[in-house]
């Protein structure tokens, strides 16, 4: 069974940076897209960023210019570089992969932005 394993979350001060990683247990060439959703307490899960197999990217308006998504096919890993973090970015971040027939999800990693 394919697994997605996230890492890189933690506590950071406002204005700081974090890099999230999502490593797949098999080649990501077959994935149509990968990316990140986030869910804050009491709120719905929202798309943060995604990258397709051809390298197309799109971002939530709230993170444009601050977050960058990238993928390393050789390492079967997708990254989310998060800069200029704000308290409103506090959430559990979930990696996902879209395959032709289904979605895969990681277990989630907590990001807390607080002074």
């Amino acid at each position: 069974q394919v697994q997605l394993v996230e890492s890189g979350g933690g506590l950071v001060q406002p204005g700081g940076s974090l890099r999230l990683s999502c490593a797949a247990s098999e080649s990501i060439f077959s994935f149509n897209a990968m990316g990140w959703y986030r869910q804050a307490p009491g709120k719905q899960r929202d798309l943060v960023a995604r990258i397709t197999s051809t390298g197309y990217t799109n971002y939530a308006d709230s993170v444009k210019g601050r977050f960058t998504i990238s993928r390393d096919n050789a390492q079967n890993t997708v990254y989310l570089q998060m800069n200029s973090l704000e308290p409103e970015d506090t959430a559990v971040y979930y990696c996902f992969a879209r395959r032709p027939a289904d979605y895969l999800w990681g277990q989630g990693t907590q990001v807390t932005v607080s002074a």
Side-chain angles (χ1 to χ4, degrees):
Q1 178 146 355
V2 181
Q3 289 185 319
L4 301 177
V5 180
E6 299 125 331
S7 60
L11 173 64
V12 64
Q13 292 185 341
S17 298
L18 284 174
R19 188 176 80 155
L20 304 183
S21 300
C22 173
S25 58
E26 68 174 39
S27 172
I28 64 175
F29 276 107
S30 64
F31 298 162
N32 301 111
M34 295 185 73
W36 300 85
Y37 276 74
R38 68 185 180 186
Q39 188 168 22
K43 296 188 177 181
Q44 67 181 21
R45 190 177 296 191
D46 292 323
L47 178 67
V48 177
R50 74 179 183 112
I51 183 167
T52 69
S53 58
T54 58
Y56 172 81
T57 60
N58 65 298
Y59 298 90
D61 288 343
S62 59
V63 307
K64 284 180 181 177
R66 300 188 297 123
F67 291 11
T68 303
I69 189 169
S70 61
R71 60 193 288 164
D72 184 337
N73 291 334
Q75 298 296 321
N76 298 325
T77 301
V78 171
Y79 302 98
L80 186 67
Q81 178 66 43
M82 306 186 294
N83 299 327
S84 302
L85 283 161
E86 304 168 353
E88 292 74 23
D89 297 316
T90 295
V92 178
Y93 285 69
Y94 296 92
C95 175
F96 77 92
R98 182 167 62 90
R99 300 191 295 188
D102 62 2
Y103 277 80
L104 300 172
W105 292 94
Q107 80 283 0
T109 186
Q110 176 70 45
V111 171
T112 302
V113 185
S114 174

